[in-house]
Amino acid sequence: MTDVATRTLLAGIEAVECYGIVAVGPDDTIATWNRGAASLTGISAADALGRPVSNVLSDGSDVLNRQTLERIADRGGEVELWLRRMEGSRFYARVAVVRTPPEANGECGHTLYFRDATSLWMTREELQRSKSMFESILATATDAVICVDDSQRIIFFNEGAERIFRYEPEEVLGQPLDLLIPDRFASAHRRKVSEFGESPVVARQMGERGEIAGKRRCGEIFPAEASISKLNVGDRTIYTAVLRDITDRHEAQEELARQAEELARSNAELEQFAYVASHDLQEPLRMVASYTQLLARRYRGQLDADADEFIEFAVDGVRRMQSLINDLLAYSRVGRGTELTSVSTAAIVGSTLTALAHAITETDAKVTFQDLPTVHGDETQLRQLFQNLIQNGLKFHKPGVPPKVHIDAVDSGDFWHFRVADEGIGIAPEFRERIFVIFQRLHSRAEYPGTGIGLAICRKIVERHGGRIWVESDDNGTIFHFTLPKETVKT
Ligand code: ADP
């Protein structure tokens, strides 16, 4: 190299800002200290030159003495070290060391090249922190998290998976995923995972309706809810399955379904019983009724006064029993209604009022209605529903005050909300549930006639239509509320 070239090179080295370039003699003292070294360390050339390199650059933790320099030079390439900065602070540096040619006494010095890598260190630290955070989240998750590679061998098995499958990680890591799947599903499952691998979808539920079966270490099969996702890492694909044991939920659902089935069966049985009993009782009862009435007609006044009274009791009792049985029959028939059609509730209420015209005039009642919609329902039953409620409104009026009943409906989303309001005697809070139970009455027949079946029938009709019925009442009267689903338009 010419003198000019050497001078240019040295000037260049001296001027470099982002690299610290420092020549250290065989006695470890600093021989040159470029501008980069001064700006990275904050130590001026005047303070550095002639001093042992370890005194100037060594940080408390990483010692930069002759042995260290030799080791770094031997290794070639860069190492990462903490170096000292002025005023006790430090910085993370990437350091390369090159031996200089031997001097006359055969000893070598070193040249150090270093640059600031603090931000690299911080990024790495941050990555490490979030990695450990994710690892601990995964490890402690209650769900099983299992990763498999392209060949469907298990490469990650968290604590949740250990708990659910009852394996130790070392028993499953490197094993095929089949280990955790019931034998009869294993090949289909393997195929599905491969198909998923080739599809553009990155995550999806596993199994039909999101449910699959898992196999524990002891061979026990259990239901699970699982999803799978894939991640391309370099040229491999990693599949992650997140799986939850739903044995408890399954058992609860099965129990619920069993109870519902049992309830439906016993309900149907009861209904059948009530129907058969009331239907079959009608015939003999009719016979008892006609003969007691015959007795009453033929022998009234011919026996003594007691006998007349007894016959009267018998006739009355039979009549009551007939109406109870008729009611029971009507009640048990609600479940067997006809098909639901489009029904105008305004028309139903209109014709009900015509049918009740006599009772209305007799009591000087005022019955009004407005805004009644068309619904999807069983016309006969809806007629019975309105009739029972209006009749009760007419019947339970305050003594001496003519009945007033108003019927209307409001839109409440998927339902119509109907109200039948009166200004009658009201219902005490403690009876507001009981009145919907079959044959429950709050008054004697002498006070108000009836059998106590009307509201039970109303509830059955409303519930058969998918609605709900309830009552609101105070001293000013009673409002029966019920809902019916809106008309479903068939296309
Ligand atoms: P019934 O009218 O034959 O007694 P329901 O089942 O229709 O049978 O009614 C049950 C009971 O609820 C009635 O006996 C009555 O005490 C009470 N009730 C029903 N509707 C009204 C009303 N609009 N106002 C006050 N009480 C009522």
Side-chain angles (χ1 to χ4, degrees):
M1 213 186 287
T2 62
D3 279 356
V4 177
T6 310
R7 271 205 307 278
T8 313
L9 189 62
L10 288 175
I13 289 171
E14 167 52 31
V16 163
E17 275 278 359
C18 56
Y19 264 93
I21 302 172
V22 174
V24 178
D27 59 352
D28 277 352
T29 56
I30 293 169
T32 69
W33 186 257
N34 79 336
R35 198 181 297 171
S39 80
L40 286 169
T41 61
I43 301 167
S44 68
D47 286 338
L49 290 172
R51 290 176 58 201
V53 66
S54 62
N55 286 6
V56 179
L57 278 180
S58 278
D59 162 69
S61 48
D62 293 320
V63 179
L64 203 64
N65 55 22
R66 185 163 188 80
Q67 285 93 321
T68 323
L69 293 179
E70 282 290 324
R71 217 178 30 247
I72 302 171
D74 284 344
R75 196 179 300 165
E78 289 179 322
V79 294
E80 289 173 9
L81 291 174
W82 285 99
L83 295 184
R84 192 171 81 86
R85 217 196 293 268
M86 214 183 58
E87 288 158 7
S89 70
R90 60 183 194 157
F91 67 104
Y92 197 68
R94 287 180 74 91
V95 182
V97 176
V98 178
R99 263 187 214 102
T100 52
E103 295 197 356
N105 60 6
E107 289 193 47
C108 295
H110 295 92
T111 307
L112 272 79
Y113 302 85
F114 56 89
R115 60 195 167 100
D116 191 352
T118 311
S119 62
L120 179 76
W121 179 83
M122 277 162 54
T123 311
R124 241 193 253 141
E125 279 293 291
E126 191 49 48
L127 261 175
Q128 187 53 44
R129 243 200 314 277
S130 45
K131 188 164 166 258
S132 1
M133 189 176 83
F134 278 116
E135 276 172 0
S136 55
I137 290 173
L138 279 184
T140 54
T142 47
D143 290 347
V145 182
I146 301 162
C147 298
V148 296
D149 62 11
D150 289 313
S151 57
Q152 301 199 19
R153 286 187 182 274
I154 301 166
I155 54 172
F156 180 80
F157 200 73
N158 77 335
E159 277 176 31
E162 288 173 42
R163 252 191 323 271
I164 292 174
F165 288 94
R166 303 182 191 150
Y167 277 108
E168 295 294 325
E170 53 276 15
E171 293 177 292
V172 290
L173 290 176
Q175 297 297 319
L177 185 63
D178 293 0
L179 191 68
L180 310 176
I181 293 164
D183 300 344
R184 63 203 161 101
F185 297 133
S187 64
H189 189 269
R190 217 174 307 128
R191 202 181 52 245
K192 290 235 168 85
V193 175
S194 309
E195 280 168 14
F196 170 64
E198 280 150 25
S199 79
V201 182
V202 288
R204 68 168 178 78
Q205 291 278 308
M206 288 171 92
E208 278 171 36
R209 285 173 285 122
E211 280 189 22
I212 58 161
K215 187 172 80 179
R216 294 193 226 276
R217 190 174 193 273
C218 59
E220 188 193 345
I221 312 289
F222 65 95
E225 204 172 61
S227 62
I228 186 167
S229 58
K230 65 184 173 201
L231 186 70
N232 289 325
V233 181
D235 56 355
R236 348 194 271 161
T237 304
I238 291 176
Y239 300 90
T240 304
V242 179
L243 176 143
R244 176 170 297 177
D245 184 346
I246 53 168
T247 309
D248 290 351
R249 195 202 303 170
H250 243 230
E251 282 173 2
Q253 275 168 350
E254 273 168 19
E255 179 60 18
L256 217 64
R258 205 187 53 70
Q259 282 177 0
E261 201 177 298
E262 177 65 27
L263 210 68
R265 197 188 54 73
S266 81
N267 252 349
E269 239 174 48
L270 262 176
E271 216 158 79
Q272 181 68 10
F273 170 77
Y275 178 77
V276 170
S278 46
H279 185 266
D280 292 3
L281 279 174
Q282 272 188 328
E283 186 46 41
L285 199 61
R286 214 171 287 135
M287 193 189 280
V288 178
S290 41
Y291 281 102
T292 44
Q293 277 157 12
L294 192 67
L295 275 176
R297 272 203 310 276
R298 197 172 287 178
Y299 296 101
R300 181 170 292 121
Q302 295 190 28
L303 306 169
D304 59 12
D306 274 357
D308 280 353
E309 199 183 9
F310 296 162
I311 291 175
E312 207 36 60
F313 285 159
V315 170
D316 186 47
V318 168
R319 229 183 263 128
R320 249 171 45 220
M321 195 183 263
Q322 269 182 320
S323 67
L324 282 173
I325 281 183
N326 275 338
D327 284 350
L328 200 57
L329 200 57
Y331 181 78
S332 67
R333 275 184 180 140
V334 173
R336 311 158 177 251
T338 54
E339 253 190 54
L340 308 190
T341 55
S342 198
V343 180
S344 156
T345 56
I348 285 187
V349 170
S351 62
T352 303
L353 295 190
T354 313
L356 295 174
H358 180 66
I360 294 175
T361 347
E362 206 174 45
T363 51
D364 198 15
K366 198 163 169 240
V367 185
T368 48
F369 63 92
Q370 69 185 49
D371 303 334
L372 295 180
T374 294
V375 295
H376 194 63
D378 179 322
E379 181 167 352
T380 316
Q381 293 187 353
L382 292 183
R383 190 182 301 282
Q384 193 172 7
L385 168 66
F386 281 105
Q387 180 166 330
N388 287 358
L389 294 177
I390 298 170
Q391 255 175 337
N392 279 353
L394 296 175
K395 183 162 61 171
F396 297 102
H397 65 94
K398 288 180 180 148
V401 183
K404 250 190 185 172
V405 181
H406 181 68
I407 307 119
D408 67 2
V410 288
D411 188 332
S412 86
D414 293 339
F415 290 85
W416 286 108
H417 176 168
F418 291 86
R419 295 177 295 210
V420 179
D422 63 44
E423 296 181 6
I425 58 173
I427 302 169
E430 62 270 31
F431 299 126
R432 288 181 196 159
E433 266 303 309
R434 213 174 88 180
I435 51 170
F436 292 104
V437 177
I438 188 166
F439 298 140
Q440 293 289 331
R441 313 197 66 237
L442 311 180
H443 308 277
S444 70
R445 275 177 304 113
E447 282 177 286
Y448 295 98
T451 56
I453 193 111
L455 290 177
I457 288 183
C458 289
R459 178 156 82 177
K460 215 168 165 196
I461 292 174
V462 169
E463 287 177 357
R464 181 184 167 226
H465 282 76
R468 194 165 77 80
I469 185 166
W470 69 102
V471 69
E472 185 189 355
S473 187
D474 59 25
D475 291 345
N476 300 319
T478 302
I479 307 175
F480 278 95
H481 299 262
F482 64 91
T483 57
L484 292 178
K486 285 195 175 158
E487 186 176 19
T488 46
V489 182
K490 287 198 183 116
T491 49

